[in-house]
Amino acid sequence: MVRIGTLPMRLLALDYGADIVYTEELIDWKLLRSFRRVNDVLGTVDYIDKTDGTVTFRTCLRERNKVVLQIGTCDAARALKVAKMVEQDVAGIDLNMGCPKLFSMLGKMGAALLQEPEMATKILKTLVDNLSIPVTCKIRILQDVEKTLELCELLASTGISAIAVHGRTVNERPQHANRNEVLKAISSKLLIPVIANGGSKDVQKYSDISKFKEVTGCSSVMLARAAQWNCSIFCKDGLLPMEDVIKAYIKIAVDCDNSPSNTKYCIQNILLEQQESALGKRFLNSQTLEQICAVWELSDYCCSKRKEFEEKGLQGRSQVSPMKEDEVQNEDQVSNKRKFSGEEDVVLMHCAFLRNNYLTDLELPFRSVVTVDGRKFGSSFWEKNKKWAEQGAALVCLYSLGLLSEKALVTTGNVIS
């Protein structure tokens, strides 16, 4: 699922017993403007966007034979180029033909391919004929059962290794019943493995997975929302408490140096209505991995990991080590938004401004770098907007000049030591 199927959640699913994990839908154009880099500090392989230095796709050896990269595309040549890029790092390639989101449909990707069978088969055939790893696709059913069966047979004829079928149409949503009888008809018709999808509403515990598999007659089961809510759904011994799942997820997120925004989004989808609790509201006020960790009393773990990464030379999610000339002609084009425009001798602290912790705005002429008596101050934390970055720099200045105590910063959650 979009924003959910990132590395930390995939690894957590494997830890709990999942056999295969899928990435979120990754658009071909975004992958094509990325380059591959081995991250020795994290023990990962990163595909980094050349335009802004962010990580498009991160994987690791632990999931090498388990992860399927789900690609969003409408062009066979681009699809193959992307697949060749990542072929050595993933277990398989999946063509997304089921996403009903507007951005996919407008780009003639996802579920739009259901109405373009010739294009879909061309993409799949091109991938099958030119890759050394399995190729699969995921679809949604059509309104007409016979047309659905015809489409599945056509797709299977390309030589794909399996097909995942979501038992709802493009226009149907989770509140609609999954059409398990259609899945059963498909699994009875095809000779290749059929993966049943869409049953999260009825999968409340591990034993329900087997029931869903039996009802649909499929070879295996794909879970999205059920795993999103509580990833321990894959545990044979039963569901684990939500708090245990969140803590396990956070530790992996820290280990992977996962972005705070993605980490926060995934935890929100676990908490659901619990976001309205006192703990949930404190969590919603967090902005950094350190602050998220503090909510679940994992500050020591986060700080020790950050120290370990820094000692090994990790610069962080928003910065990448110098690129080779053949990778990017001008590195400044990639990361200039994350530099202090050549400023030197800046006093830096990992300090984020949390607006809700202040009753009034601080009345200072904030900039990304604050200069006082010839000394320059700034925060090493990259804020989501200019205003907050300026305020973070100002807090560093106040602390460094002795106008704000460390206790005050820590108490308000603005700095993690």
Side-chain angles (χ1 to χ4, degrees):
M1 297 184 72
V2 175
R3 298 184 68 188
I4 296 292
T6 45
L7 182 58
M9 192 62 77
R10 298 197 305 266
L11 293 178
L12 186 63
L14 291 174
D15 286 345
Y16 285 144
D19 296 311
I20 298 173
V21 290
Y22 285 66
T23 70
E24 58 183 333
E25 180 187 20
L26 296 172
I27 308 304
D28 54 7
W29 284 114
K30 188 169 180 63
L31 279 164
L32 286 175
R33 68 172 186 242
S34 301
F35 64 93
R36 182 181 188 272
R37 169 165 292 157
V38 176
N39 189 323
D40 293 326
V41 177
L42 298 178
T44 60
V45 173
D46 300 341
Y47 286 82
I48 302 172
D49 192 323
K50 295 177 184 178
T51 62
D52 60 13
T54 58
V55 177
T56 302
F57 170 50
R58 172 167 284 168
T59 184
C60 65
L61 186 61
R62 187 149 70 94
E63 67 168 4
R64 168 64 180 81
N65 297 317
K66 302 285 188 179
V67 62
V68 176
L69 187 138
Q70 183 183 174
I71 184 174
T73 185
C74 63
D75 182 89
R78 288 202 305 270
L80 180 59
K81 192 172 182 179
V82 166
K84 280 295 184 182
M85 283 176 58
V86 303
E87 186 175 14
Q88 62 185 311
D89 297 316
V90 300
I93 297 292
D94 182 76
L95 175 62
N96 186 319
M97 295 178 57
C99 181
K101 299 296 184 182
L102 187 61
F103 79 91
S104 279
M105 299 289 283
L106 290 177
K108 298 183 179 180
M109 302 178 295
L113 287 174
L114 296 175
Q115 305 303 320
E116 299 288 344
E118 290 186 8
M119 176 56 69
T121 52
K122 182 180 180 181
I123 295 172
L124 291 173
K125 183 65 173 171
T126 299
L127 294 174
V128 169
D129 290 347
N130 293 281
L131 296 178
S132 61
I133 56 177
V135 176
T136 63
C137 69
K138 182 191 174 206
I139 70 168
R140 281 177 172 256
I141 64 170
L142 305 177
Q143 193 66 42
D144 184 276
V145 177
E146 288 304 317
K147 288 184 178 180
T148 301
L149 292 173
E150 290 175 7
L151 176 62
C152 289
E153 288 186 301
L154 178 63
L155 297 174
S157 71
T158 63
I160 57 176
S161 299
I163 182 170
V165 184
H166 186 114
R168 296 184 181 85
T169 66
V170 174
N171 296 320
E172 291 178 330
R173 293 296 176 263
Q175 63 267 29
H176 296 101
N178 203 57
R179 304 191 194 189
N180 295 336
E181 71 282 358
V182 179
L183 297 184
K184 191 172 184 66
I186 296 171
S187 62
S188 299
K189 189 82 169 178
L190 299 187
L191 297 178
I192 64 173
V194 177
I195 305 169
N197 182 231
S200 286
K201 188 176 181 181
D202 299 317
V203 177
Q204 305 297 321
K205 54 186 182 297
Y206 181 82
S207 59
D208 292 335
I209 299 176
S210 297
K211 293 178 182 178
F212 184 50
K213 179 181 176 182
E214 183 179 351
V215 168
T216 60
C218 293
S219 59
S220 54
V221 171
M222 174 188 286
L223 295 178
R225 288 180 299 116
Q228 166 187 305
W229 297 328
N230 190 324
C231 204
S232 67
I233 190 71
F234 298 111
C235 288
K236 295 181 179 180
D237 296 331
L239 288 172
L240 297 174
M242 179 181 66
E243 183 177 1
D244 292 351
V245 174
I246 291 176
K247 285 184 175 182
Y249 171 77
I250 291 175
K251 284 186 175 182
I252 299 176
V254 171
D255 293 343
C256 298
D257 193 37
N258 199 48
S259 74
S261 60
N262 180 255
T263 301
K264 189 171 182 179
Y265 179 79
C266 290
I267 295 175
Q268 283 180 283
N269 280 276
I270 300 174
L271 283 174
L272 297 177
E273 66 275 2
Q274 291 300 314
Q275 293 178 72
E276 296 302 317
S277 66
L279 180 142
K281 290 179 179 179
R282 183 184 170 201
F283 159 71
L284 291 176
N285 194 41
S286 64
Q287 293 179 26
T288 67
L289 278 180
E290 292 92 335
Q291 291 160 359
I292 293 173
C293 285
V295 176
W296 278 276
E297 300 180 350
L298 291 172
S299 294
D300 289 344
Y301 183 83
C302 186
C303 288
S304 65
K305 274 294 179 179
R306 194 182 75 185
K307 182 178 180 181
E308 174 190 330
F309 293 158
E310 289 175 349
E311 289 175 349
K312 291 181 178 179
L314 182 70
Q315 293 177 301
R317 290 172 307 280
S318 301
Q319 300 169 349
V320 294
S321 53
M323 302 176 190
K324 298 178 182 178
E325 291 183 3
D326 60 348
E327 292 174 336
V328 179
Q329 293 182 351
N330 186 351
E331 183 187 351
D332 290 337
Q333 294 177 353
V334 175
S335 56
N336 61 350
K337 293 181 180 179
R338 293 174 169 81
K339 293 183 177 179
F340 283 119
S341 301
E343 296 279 3
E344 297 179 354
D345 302 323
V346 179
V347 176
L348 290 176
M349 291 172 54
H350 201 65
C351 180
F353 175 79
L354 300 184
R355 183 176 181 179
N356 291 342
N357 290 332
Y358 294 87
L359 297 179
T360 59
D361 291 334
L362 299 178
E363 297 180 357
L364 282 175
F366 295 123
R367 297 185 305 164
S368 295
V369 173
V370 173
T371 302
V372 177
D373 292 334
R375 297 180 62 191
K376 301 172 183 178
F377 308 88
S379 169
S380 59
F381 179 77
W382 298 105
E383 294 287 0
K384 65 174 65 176
N385 59 54
K386 183 178 179 181
K387 180 179 179 181
W388 288 4
E390 292 168 346
Q391 291 170 328
L395 288 174
V396 175
C397 174
L398 291 174
Y399 170 77
S400 300
L401 296 178
L403 301 177
L404 194 63
S405 68
E406 181 176 357
K407 181 178 180 181
L409 283 176
V410 174
T411 300
T412 56
N414 286 283
V415 66
I416 302 298
S417 59

